[in-house]
Each structure stands twice: as C-alpha cells, then as structure tokens.
Amino acid sequence: MALLEVRDLSVRFVRKSEPTVSAVDGVSFDVHPGSTVGLVGESGCGKSVTSLAIMGLLPGRGTEVTGSVNLEGSELLRLSRREFDRRRGKDLGMVFQDPLTSLNPVVPIGLQISEVIERHRGLSRRDASREAAKLLERVGIPDPDRRLKEYSHQLSGGMRQRALIAMALACEPRLLIADEPTTALDVTIQAQILTLLKELVAETGTALIMITHDLGVVAGMCDEVNVLYAGRIVERAQRHELFSQPRHPYTAGLMASVPRLDSPRGQRLAPIEGSVADNIPWEGGCAFSPRCGNALAVCRERAPELETVEQGRLLRCHNPIGAAEMERAHD
Amino acid sequence: MTDSSRTITGAETSPVGTDPADTLVEIDDLRVHFPIKRGIVLDRTVGHVYAVDGVSLRVGRGETYGLVGESGCGKSTLGKAVLRLERPTGGSIRFDGTDMARMSGEPLRRMRRRMQMVFQDTLSSLDPRQSVESLLVEGMRAHGLDRDGKSTERELRELLSSVGLPASALRKYPHEFSGGQRQRIGIARALAVRPDLVVADEPVSALDVSVQAQVLNLLEDLQEEFGLTYLVIAHDLAVVRHVARRIGVMYLGGLVEESDSDVLYEQPLHPYTRALLSAVPVPEPEVEDQRERILLSGDLPSPAAPPTGCRFHTRCPWRQPTRCDSERPELRDVGGGHRVACHYAEEIRDGIITPNSVEGNSSAGVS
C-alpha cells in the first residue's frame, strides 16, 4: 500500500485576459514508505508546481488544481485550509531550494524549529527548544545550543540547508519533499547534504520525493525516477534501468547533453536542439516533437499516452529509442 | 586530436608553458585584497578580505584554461583582475608581454578590446532597453571598429550566424529570447570587438541542462573559428573538465593544484581536489553506488581570516601534526607540469599517509 498516491494531478493557472497556462497536466505516481522517488526535468516542466500542489502551498486564487493526492487514505486536495495547516509540517515536510529565503531573517533559527514542535507535538517551549537542539545535532550542526540563538544570516549556506532539514524533520513526517535541496550549494557541501538525506531515509523510514534537474543527484539518490517534460511524465523507471537504457528520446537527450566528469575530454556533447516552449502544446501532438530527433509524422498529430512498456517502466512516446533501433536493423 | 599532433610537429601542439612567446596571459603572485571598513566619520580599515592571495599561472595562446573552486574561493575576482576590472593589490598580470597591473587610462582602454568577458547571468548582463544590434555595436564603436554602416551590418550578420542566431535577432530586445539564446548574444557581444582572450565566468551554470551542451559546443566551435584563448571559470568540475585543457583548482584565494585536465582527473594529488572530485555526482547509478565520498567537515573558513599555514588544513582529512598548520605550502611541480600546493602530496599519493577519521567539531566551528 502506497503512502502517497497522486492521481491525474493537474494544475492550471487561470488569468484574466490571458490564456490559461497548464503547468502540470495529468501526473500520477506512488510513493512507498522508505523509498525515494525522483521528479526530474528542466525549468518549466512542472516539477516544482507538482510539489507545491501536494503540499497545498499554491495560491488559492487563479489556480485550478484537479485530480487526487491521497496520503494514507486521506484526500489532501479536499482538506480545508485549517485542516491542511494541521497536517503540513506534521505529516508532510518540505525542504526548499533556497535556504536563505525560506528562513525568516528576523527570527532566531531555534525559535523557527521549536515553533513547529510546539505547534504540532504540543510540547512546552522549553522542551521544544531542547528538542530543536537535538535536531540540529542530528543534522550535523556543531555547537547546537549556540546556533539556536543565531539568525539565518549568521549561518553558512550548507548550515542553513541543514537547519531547514531539521525543521522539516521536527515532527518526523512520513513524507518529505526536497525541491532542488542542493542546487544552491557547493559540491562538497552538496555531498554532505545528500549523504544526510540518504541516512535520514534509511533510519527513519521517511519517504522522500526528490525534485531536481541534476541527473547525477538522481543516479545516487532515487529508487524510482519520473522524467517530466512540459507538465507530463514522459518516462518512469527504476534508476538502474533508466540510466542503463533510457527509452524516451528526451531522457536519452538529457543524459547525452550533460558533460560527465568521467568521460574523456574533447568528446563532443550531443545537445537537445531548441528549448522548452512556454505554453504546453500537448493538444497538437507530442510537446517534445519539435526538439526530437526521433519524431515521426504521427508525433505531430496525436499526443502519445503514458503506457507500460515493460515491467516497471512507463513511456509516453510513439517512437521510443529501442523501437527505432529495431527498425534500423530491419532495413 | 592524436592525428594532428602526429602530423604537425612544432610549437602549435607542444605543451604550453615551454615557449614564452606562446603565453598570452601570465599572472605572477597576484594579490587582490579588499579592505573591510568600519566607522562613519573615521574611515578605518579594520582588516582585509584576502580574495586572491598569491596566485601565479599562465594561459597559453589558443588554450582553454579552466579555473574551478567553490563559492568564495576567489576565482571570479581573479577573472576580473585579469581584465583589470579589479585593481590588483600586488603582483603582476602580463597580457601578451605587457604588464596590465599598473596600466591605466587610454592605453588600458585600448588594451581591453583584446580581452572580453562572458557573464553568468544573461538577464542582468544585457541592458534590457538596448536592442541586440545596439548591444553589439556599442563595443565596436568604442574601439573604432564601426567604420561604415554597410560593413558593420554585414559583420553583425556574420557574428550572429556564427553564434547560431538569425539575422532577425538584431532588431529584438534581450527579454524576447530564452536563456540559452541570451547567452549566445552575450557571447556575440564579447566577440564583436575581435578579442584574443575571453574570460567566461560560469557561462552555463544558469542554463538548463539540455541548453548547457549547446552553449559549450558553441564555445568550442568559436575557439576554433576565431583562434580564441579562454579562461573559463566555473564551480562545475564536469563542465571545466569538458572544455579546458589545463585546470587550476582554487581554495580560499590560492591555487592548490594545477595540471592537465586528464591528469587531474586520473590522479588528483591535493586533498581538496580529491574531495571535490569525489563529491561530484555522476549520472550513473553503478558508479554512484560504489564510490566512496571524501566528506569534508565544516564549511569554507572566512577569507578575511584565513587559517595559518596551509589554508586547507582545518578541513583536510590527511592533516599532519607538523608543517600543515604553520607553513604555507608553495605550488610546486611534481613532474609533467603537474603543480600542487601540499607538503605531503607524494606521501598521500603513495598511500603512506592515510586519511584521519573526520571529527565533526574540531574544524566545523569556523564562523
């Protein structure tokens, strides 16, 4: 039984005198306890909006959220604001990309963490503060008692991200969403934070949704990976299968366009031509077809459906990579 | 590549640094210190930020030199100092034989035509109220390269086509382009004055992964087409390794290791380089599952109060009780142009010194 079931989630931004923008378009996935699910894609693919929709953090006005987000049997999308406030922070935690803007600059770190504990676990301020110190120590911040009294600007970037993780973990949520948690950090600090997240998942059994554009992070962290393009999942597979044999041309294109540390110098990169279009043009065919080297005539007429092609792999493509090879062999 | 080195014998393919005439930029003991001021009436200097503190390196003509390091290591300041956008506190920068560090006024302005910069943030480095044409012509006009309308027009079209933009882009404004296209405009602007050296400070880190590759390939093509010399500054080791022939690794204002990019990857000698390489995620689950990360404790110390001795000793897993905290290691050649600033580089390489267990508190409390 899945911890979180997202079914046919769509988010549309409706604006007066402007066309409606569909940011997320029918996304479905499951998250099991203790597992890490990755949402991967470039800017504008809808990965962050998906996470905000799950957390109930999208603005009420001008957004239409449809579909279902089910956490352990309760439907999150139908919760009232107040009910959601009770769940958020307790059952669901979130770590954002930019720790400086996610922390309140005029409230000490300690108070920001103990506030969560006071509110959701009903501890006294004193006990909550003691608990906060324990959490800071848990996430690897040395001298936690001193740090509790400090403000976010007094901490380094890595330290802030640790504080943010401590806050998200304060009530031992069953689901943690990390939205580009290491993108703003240096590589050596990134390694520290990723190791920390991995340990937390292994020790506490928290489920983790990892949102990132960095395929290297995905390769090391996620059990199952969803690749998003223009608001839809285009490929889903277990990480070993996905990386050893990407089937969707977009997934393969992403992998070929990243310079790798262990590839010889002078090897030319194979970029994906063009760039992501602003509007989501799935109606008139596959949204990726203008950039796709594998595109057929049918790709520009009819949008492909997400189909199970093999055990554990879903694919949204008329002409996936394996198929083209078979055809070439046939010729 | 191997083919050309076999058929062409001579200076063109010989390793850089052997022939002084082949050196375009030579930096010697460069220091850039920023004063920290206190007080409103009395403008006292209470200390310095040692952003760049004694860096020596040379960039060969037609070569790509990659400078890597984490935020706050001084790599961008070094890049700016090379273009004299930052006045050096000490040391010398020789560009094609001329010392730039003490140049000023008109000779400096004229010199700047030969060196251009490509910035990270394409939105803030292009004036939103200037059309692409005006952006490109501005530099040409300043350096007297815009003689008559016809030839300039033709030149601009050629320039745009070499960065992969249509001629219709000339009449448009920066906001009408995507991030990758804007970076192409930034590159075209740098090339408009026909420079010898291009300093690219994080040229692709603000772009989407699929677009990064386009821009990296473009930089490569342009180097070949115009015979450019690049100084590429980036935090992403994979990007730098991809484009650069020589790589310098910076830590807290100093160069800790410098070598050929393949050698650096095969056999990093400085403990910091080792940690950095082990931290970069590789998009392959098998590699990720097996590799051992060298986790550094704590954060970068403040460049206003750098540690004594080796600047890395507070975080170094191979730290030794002697020399490391008292004597700053010189960048020394350990063979084949591989330079490293570590007292114990050979012992670490040969496995005589093994990493200490990392203690969380001993060094992480630097604030």
Side-chain angles (χ1 to χ4, degrees):
Chain A
M1 161 86 186
L3 176 77
L4 180 83
E5 286 180 11
V6 179
R7 288 292 170 272
D8 209 20
L9 180 71
S10 295
V11 180
R12 270 179 297 277
F13 296 119
V14 187
R15 282 173 294 184
K16 241 186 217 168
S17 74
E18 267 179 76
T20 299
V21 177
S22 199
V24 179
D25 196 7
V27 164
S28 306
F29 61 92
D30 287 350
V31 185
H32 294 275
S35 74
T36 303
V37 171
L39 300 181
V40 195
E42 298 179 280
S43 46
C45 74
K47 55 191 192 299
S48 290
V49 176
T50 304
S51 70
L52 293 175
I54 295 170
M55 290 294 292
L57 288 174
L58 288 169
R61 291 175 73 175
T63 43
E64 276 177 25
V65 184
T66 55
S68 139
V69 177
N70 199 309
L71 182 76
E72 291 184 309
S74 67
E75 176 55 54
L76 294 183
L77 292 186
R78 264 185 282 286
L79 291 182
S80 71
R81 233 192 143 78
R82 181 172 288 181
E83 285 169 325
F84 219 128
D85 285 347
R86 236 177 279 140
R87 308 284 306 259
R88 201 189 295 116
K90 190 164 161 240
D91 297 335
L92 311 112
M94 183 146 180
V95 180
F96 295 91
Q97 171 176 0
D98 185 354
L100 193 57
T101 52
S102 329
L103 290 167
N104 189 334
V106 294
V107 176
I109 297 293
L111 200 57
Q112 293 186 55
I113 301 173
S114 53
E115 186 188 11
V116 185
I117 303 170
E118 269 180 68
R119 172 160 187 170
H120 291 300
R121 282 163 57 183
L123 266 63
S124 69
R125 174 150 300 188
R126 207 198 187 103
D127 291 343
S129 171
R130 208 170 298 136
E131 196 70 7
K134 255 188 241 162
L135 278 165
L136 283 188
E137 192 156 25
R138 173 77 195 80
V139 296
I141 294 185
D143 198 2
D145 291 316
R146 181 166 67 94
R147 292 294 179 190
L148 282 179
K149 298 188 198 80
E150 291 192 338
Y151 294 86
S152 58
H153 74 271
Q154 290 168 294
L155 305 183
S156 67
M159 209 95 80
R160 275 181 216 133
Q161 196 58 286
R162 284 169 194 269
L164 211 58
I165 292 174
M167 205 184 297
L169 291 175
C171 296
E172 290 162 13
R174 270 158 293 178
L175 177 71
L176 187 65
I177 302 179
D179 188 357
E180 303 267 10
T182 57
T183 307
L185 305 175
D186 279 318
V187 270
T188 57
I189 309 295
Q190 164 170 295
Q192 295 173 1
I193 298 290
L194 292 180
T195 308
L196 172 68
L197 282 174
K198 242 193 236 176
E199 282 171 14
L200 290 171
V201 169
E203 284 168 26
T204 61
T206 301
L208 177 65
I209 299 180
M210 188 82 184
I211 295 167
T212 179
H213 70 279
D214 189 333
L215 290 170
V217 170
V218 174
M221 291 283 298
C222 301
D223 300 312
E224 189 178 64
V225 188
N226 294 292
V227 182
L228 274 82
Y229 189 81
R232 292 190 185 180
I233 292 175
V234 294
E235 183 164 12
R236 171 190 304 163
Q238 300 296 307
R239 77 180 158 138
H240 284 280
E241 280 74 39
L242 187 81
F243 281 89
S244 65
Q245 201 196 19
R247 296 287 310 275
H248 198 282
Y250 178 64
T251 317
L254 270 186
M255 287 176 190
S257 63
V258 191
R260 286 178 54 154
L261 197 57
D262 56 352
S263 67
R265 191 175 62 87
Q267 195 177 340
R268 214 171 153 76
L269 300 173
I272 306 174
E273 294 307 327
S275 55
V276 185
D278 277 342
N279 51 340
I280 299 198
W282 283 103
E283 288 84 26
C286 174
F288 185 61
S289 62
R291 304 176 71 191
C292 182
N294 261 18
L296 306 170
V298 63
C299 300
R300 299 195 174 87
E301 290 157 11
R302 188 162 54 78
E305 295 297 324
L306 191 65
E307 284 160 0
T308 309
V309 287
E310 56 196 81
Q311 183 65 33
R313 188 190 301 251
L314 272 74
L315 199 59
R316 186 191 293 279
C317 185
H318 289 308
N319 187 21
I321 282 177
E325 270 163 10
M326 264 185 266
E327 239 165 71
R328 233 174 280 137
H330 193 71
D331 282 346
Chain B
M1 263 211 96
T2 45
D3 273 5
S4 63
S5 61
R6 233 180 286 130
T7 48
I8 307 165
T9 46
E12 273 183 71
T13 48
S14 73
V16 270
T18 49
D19 184 3
D22 253 8
T23 306
L24 185 66
V25 183
E26 186 165 14
I27 298 168
D28 189 38
D29 195 28
L30 182 73
R31 274 162 286 143
V32 184
H33 300 169
F34 298 109
I36 307 169
K37 305 267 195 186
R38 277 281 155 71
I40 301 159
V41 182
L42 294 165
D43 200 14
R44 289 177 301 134
T45 300
V46 293
H48 284 93
V49 173
Y50 301 95
V52 177
D53 201 23
V55 170
S56 305
L57 59 87
R58 59 209 295 178
V59 185
R61 209 180 291 274
E63 175 188 51
T64 302
Y65 190 99
L67 209 50
V68 279
E70 299 181 281
S71 48
C73 73
K75 56 189 192 299
S76 290
T77 308
L78 180 71
K80 284 185 189 162
V82 169
L83 299 176
R84 269 302 307 276
L85 296 171
E86 223 47 274
R87 186 180 273 279
T89 316
S92 71
I93 307 158
R94 301 185 81 81
F95 181 83
D96 210 4
T98 332
D99 189 357
M100 299 263 306
R102 266 158 283 282
M103 223 182 216
S104 64
E106 185 60 17
L108 176 64
R109 193 187 74 81
R110 245 179 280 138
M111 201 65 167
R112 283 216 175 110
R113 182 194 65 76
R114 301 182 57 191
M115 45 187 83
Q116 289 293 311
M117 187 145 181
V118 173
F119 297 89
Q120 170 176 6
D121 185 351
T122 56
L123 202 55
S124 65
S125 61
L126 299 172
D127 184 347
R129 308 215 295 180
Q130 270 182 294
S131 68
V132 171
E133 179 171 16
S134 136
L135 280 165
L136 297 180
V137 164
E138 195 175 25
M140 296 171 73
R141 204 161 280 161
H143 289 289
L145 297 169
D146 167 39
R147 288 209 184 77
D148 67 289
K150 268 241 167 68
S151 67
T152 304
E153 171 90 21
R154 200 186 56 234
E155 218 168 295
L156 291 183
R157 280 168 193 278
E158 279 170 17
L159 193 60
L160 280 181
S161 88
S162 58
V163 297
L165 288 174
S168 61
L170 283 176
R171 307 262 169 273
K172 291 189 183 171
Y173 288 83
H175 73 267
E176 298 176 69
F177 297 92
S178 67
Q181 287 172 320
R182 273 202 297 272
Q183 193 57 292
R184 287 169 194 268
I185 297 170
I187 293 169
R189 178 177 61 179
L191 298 183
V193 295
R194 297 172 218 146
D196 300 314
L197 173 75
V198 173
V199 175
D201 192 353
E202 301 278 8
V204 295
S205 57
L207 305 175
D208 264 326
V209 261
S210 69
V211 180
Q212 279 190 10
Q214 296 173 6
V215 172
L216 289 176
N217 281 349
L218 174 68
L219 285 172
E220 235 164 75
D221 295 343
L222 292 171
Q223 180 166 43
E224 219 159 273
E225 192 178 342
F226 297 104
L228 298 167
T229 305
Y230 287 142
L231 177 62
V232 176
I233 299 164
H235 71 281
D236 187 335
L237 264 162
V239 165
V240 168
R241 174 172 152 77
H242 182 79
V243 297
R245 173 161 170 187
R246 277 187 86 69
I247 296 180
V249 182
M250 279 186 83
Y251 183 78
L252 217 59
L255 216 50
V256 294
E257 186 163 4
E258 184 195 57
S259 109
D260 182 89
S261 73
D262 290 333
V263 175
L264 190 81
Y265 175 73
E266 297 295 337
Q267 193 171 58
L269 291 180
H270 198 281
Y272 177 64
T273 318
R274 289 182 158 216
L276 208 56
L277 285 170
S278 82
V280 179
V282 172
E284 196 171 307
E286 287 74 17
V287 179
E288 282 295 307
D289 287 350
Q290 280 163 21
R291 79 215 222 104
E292 273 181 42
R293 288 227 155 84
I294 303 167
L295 282 185
L296 296 178
S297 58
D299 297 302
L300 198 72
S302 161
T308 56
C310 174
R311 305 212 149 162
F312 187 57
H313 86 264
T314 53
R315 298 171 76 196
C316 181
W318 283 271
R319 178 181 59 246
Q320 294 301 303
T322 54
R323 293 183 80 192
C324 288
D325 57 349
S326 57
E327 195 184 324
R328 188 168 178 195
E330 291 283 315
L331 202 61
R332 59 198 170 86
D333 201 321
V334 290
H338 192 159
R339 301 198 294 160
V340 58
C342 175
H343 297 304
Y344 299 100
E346 287 89 346
E347 285 89 333
I348 293 171
R349 177 189 60 196
D350 300 337
I352 299 169
I353 299 178
T354 49
N356 317 318
S357 57
V358 181
E359 307 140 48
N361 288 2
S362 62
S363 54
V366 188
S367 56

